[in-house]
Amino acid sequence: MFGKVGASLKPIARAQNVRGFATAKQPVRVAVTGASGQIGYSLLFRIASGEMLGKDQPVILQLLELPAALNSLKGVSMELNDCAFPLLHGIVQTDDVNKAFEGADYALLVGAKPRSKGMERGDLLKANAQIFSAQGKAINSNANKDVKVLIVGNPANTNAMITSHFAPKISPRNIHAMMRLDHNRGISQLAERTGAKVDDITNFAVWGNHSATQYPDVTFTKINGKDAKSVINDDKWIVENFIPTVQQRGAAIIAARGLSSAASAAGAAIDHMHDWALGTNGSWTSFGVPSEGKYGIDKNVWFGFPVTATKGDYSVVEGLKLDEFAKERLAITEKELKGEREAIAALLD
Ligand SMILES: NC(=O)C1=CN([C@@H]2O[C@H](COP(=O)(O)OP(=O)(O)OC[C@H]3O[C@@H](n4cnc5c(N)ncnc54)[C@H](O)[C@@H]3O)[C@@H](O)[C@H]2O)C=CC1
Ligand SMILES: O=C([O-])CC(=O)C(=O)O
């Protein structure tokens, strides 16, 4: 079934917002899977308001859901229309994976089973792997060849690898796993501990897997221009409190809310796509991207690295001198990713 509200998949000749003002930019197509889930409900309104791609960039939302959730998706789409967002030029609602990715310029792959209490994200591997192989194929056949894809559904790094495997026409550099929630969590913890504002904290990074083995790294971090380690002045707190708090934050949210993080995950997805599309002005952020062997990380795992982004592209920060502690931590999280790759190897044939 292919339902649509106010949108055609044909190119739009002239960008015009719902209030009738012509805008300079043509609309871009943003596909979102799992659109009527928890994260979707926090995400779509922010994309439509221009927070993700800029206040001058019209969008057409192409929303994918399972057949059983199409009615709920209809309700979400009604609400989106009721916001009368000037930048929202149309909504496609569908359970057809090919339609969802048709002509997509951006794709946020959120739809997947979330974990519940007592599970690790890796436990979702087999349950969710099929979804990402099917969606990789559909992206390959239908999306723009320079589509930017963000994998949110867990286990995000290995799902990104699967998606890329099934989308050979798309550069692997255009398929990212979301580490930004971990990055934002780390910055927020540091701000709380030191009394600094989040904007005063720079050069923070989260390495590795979006899992409990990730390495939130303050070695290069500055707080108001000073070395974070000397501002914090408590290495024991960093090792015994800060790192585990960031690593375990997802489980702590599940324990408190009974459901996994949703609004903060949506916020992180907005931040990731925003910075990828519009650039970071030289600041660091953390992207889960295909390893090209930098820092000795095995190629063909999707690994969290410190990056800077310039309009539509990114570079892994190079030349950082890793201490022994960091090397050990990177080896642990790399080993986990290699294990996940091994566990789904049969699917990649
Ligand atoms: N990378 C990250 O930092 C984070 C990732 N997550 C992950 O995001 C995913 C979604 O989480 P929630 O929105 O909370 O879950 P949810 O269960 O509320 O929503 C998931 C939605 O996806 C839909 N869906 C399932 N399979 C689909 C398919 N094949 N195609 C299209 N839609 C499909 C479901 O119908 C549902 O509406 C989970 O895998 C969760 O673990 C959650 C938080 C942070
Ligand atoms: O922990 C989970 O399962 C959801 C998630 O990825 C997070 O909150 O970081």
Side-chain angles (χ1 to χ4, degrees):
M1 177 188 155
F2 170 45
K4 56 184 184 176
V5 179
S8 152
L9 285 176
K10 290 186 197 117
I12 290 180
R14 177 169 169 271
Q16 193 158 41
N17 69 32
V18 290
R19 293 190 179 125
F21 300 107
T23 59
K25 288 188 171 176
Q26 293 293 311
V28 292
R29 298 185 178 276
V30 181
V32 180
T33 73
S36 81
Q38 281 206 93
I39 295 175
Y41 195 67
S42 287
L43 181 61
L44 300 178
F45 298 84
R46 297 185 63 186
I47 300 174
S49 74
E51 285 178 67
M52 187 170 94
L53 297 173
K55 297 284 181 187
D56 59 346
Q57 178 57 68
V59 294
I60 295 170
L61 290 173
Q62 302 190 171
L63 308 180
L64 181 70
E65 255 303 346
L66 294 176
L70 282 179
N71 206 37
S72 158
L73 183 61
K74 185 175 163 198
V76 175
S77 304
M78 287 160 72
E79 283 202 74
L80 278 163
N81 281 331
D82 291 350
C83 290
F85 288 118
L87 292 171
L88 181 57
H89 282 221
I91 306 172
V92 175
Q93 303 166 50
T94 186
D95 61 1
D96 177 339
V97 70
N98 293 310
K99 291 282 183 208
F101 293 120
E102 197 173 330
D105 302 293
Y106 297 87
L108 293 95
L109 273 53
V110 178
K113 191 171 155 31
R115 70 171 165 155
S116 47
K117 220 169 169 168
M119 290 169 85
E120 281 303 327
R121 296 185 189 98
D123 298 335
L124 297 172
L125 198 53
K126 295 223 168 74
N128 286 336
Q130 299 295 342
I131 295 176
F132 292 88
S133 49
Q135 292 182 358
K137 285 178 198 162
I139 288 171
N140 200 50
S141 309
N142 298 285
N144 274 349
K145 75 166 187 356
D146 53 2
V147 62
K148 292 184 171 46
V149 183
L150 179 66
I151 311 294
V152 175
N154 278 318
N157 301 53
T158 297
N159 289 338
M161 186 191 71
I162 296 170
T163 307
S164 178
H165 178 85
F166 288 101
K169 285 190 208 156
I170 312 296
S171 163
R173 287 177 58 87
N174 277 23
I175 300 182
H176 294 186
M178 191 166 90
M179 302 296 295
R180 185 58 179 263
L181 182 51
D182 313 290
H183 185 97
N184 287 351
R185 286 167 172 164
I187 286 189
S188 153
Q189 291 296 319
L190 292 173
E192 195 175 321
R193 165 80 185 192
T194 61
K197 298 190 195 69
V198 290
D199 276 353
D200 298 332
I201 300 170
T202 55
N203 295 18
F204 172 66
V206 182
W207 302 83
N209 200 1
H210 172 65
S211 79
T213 66
Q214 65 182 261
Y215 175 44
D217 184 4
V218 297
T219 318
F220 310 100
T221 304
K222 305 272 183 210
I223 300 182
N224 283 312
K226 297 195 186 105
D227 277 344
K229 278 190 159 181
S230 61
V231 175
I232 296 163
N233 196 24
D234 186 351
D235 285 353
K236 191 165 153 34
W237 177 81
I238 294 171
V239 175
E240 293 181 12
N241 191 314
F242 171 74
I243 293 174
T245 298
V246 179
Q247 288 174 328
Q248 297 291 342
R249 190 66 163 186
I253 302 281
I254 293 171
R257 235 169 67 84
L259 289 169
S260 67
S261 324
S264 55
I270 296 282
D271 290 345
H272 183 121
M273 283 308 216
H274 175 276
D275 286 358
W276 188 5
L278 302 174
T280 59
N281 282 324
S283 299
W284 293 19
T285 184
S286 304
F287 282 179
V289 291
S291 167
E292 293 166 353
K294 293 193 174 115
Y295 299 101
I297 301 303
D298 203 57
K299 290 185 182 170
N300 203 26
V301 291
W302 262 247
F303 202 84
F305 285 104
V307 301
T308 56
T310 46
K311 283 197 163 193
D313 202 4
Y314 70 89
S315 313
V316 171
V317 177
E318 293 199 53
L320 300 173
K321 202 164 164 24
L322 300 181
D323 58 22
E324 283 313 307
F325 182 75
K327 285 181 189 158
E328 271 167 35
R329 295 295 174 131
L330 262 59
I332 292 169
T333 194
E334 180 196 30
K335 185 173 174 216
E336 182 181 48
L337 280 167
K338 283 157 89 175
E340 289 184 14
R341 184 176 64 192
E342 199 56 42
I344 49 88
L347 198 99
L348 301 184
D349 288 344

